[in-house]
């Protein structure tokens, strides 16, 4: 599932991000990597949403950084 988050196919990457939702702390690092580096904004938005669902404090720095990207601000604010 983690490898799928890096897929060039946005659908595969989004579904992989969503599948990590119930992995808790184990999901934070791969999802943070997606938020910081994936080329597709819709995939980054899904990763942000999923990070918000993990309720893990380790996700907060990445979500705060996402506030600097105009297109990701609303999702990051919701996730925080």
């Amino acid at each position: 599932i983690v490898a799928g988050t890096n897929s060039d196919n946005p659908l595969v990457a989004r579904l992989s991000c969503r599948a990590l939702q119930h992995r808790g702390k184990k999901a934070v690092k791969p999802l943070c990597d997606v938020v910081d580096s994936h080329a597709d904004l819709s995939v980054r938005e899904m990763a942000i949403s999923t990070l918000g669902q993990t309720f893990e404090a380790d996700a907060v720095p990445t979500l705060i950084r996402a506030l600097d990207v105009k297109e990701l601000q609303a999702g990051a604010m919701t996730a925080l």
Side-chain angles (χ1 to χ4, degrees):
I1 294 173
V2 172
T5 64
N6 297 315
S7 174
D8 290 334
N9 181 326
L11 178 60
V12 170
R14 285 193 308 270
L15 291 173
S16 296
C17 287
R18 181 54 69 197
L20 289 173
Q21 179 177 353
H22 302 290
R23 301 291 314 257
K25 192 170 189 77
K26 292 179 183 179
V28 172
K29 171 81 169 94
L31 290 170
C32 287
D33 291 344
V34 171
V35 172
D36 289 335
S37 64
H38 203 282
D40 189 286
L41 279 175
S42 69
V43 175
R44 294 171 74 189
E45 289 171 338
M46 180 61 75
I48 287 169
S49 174
T50 305
L51 279 172
Q53 300 284 327
T54 67
F55 301 104
E56 292 291 334
D58 293 347
V60 172
T62 297
L63 294 172
I64 290 172
R65 279 193 307 277
L67 292 171
D68 292 335
V69 180
K70 183 179 178 180
E71 296 84 0
L72 302 177
Q73 286 176 349
M77 284 189 281
T78 300
L80 286 167

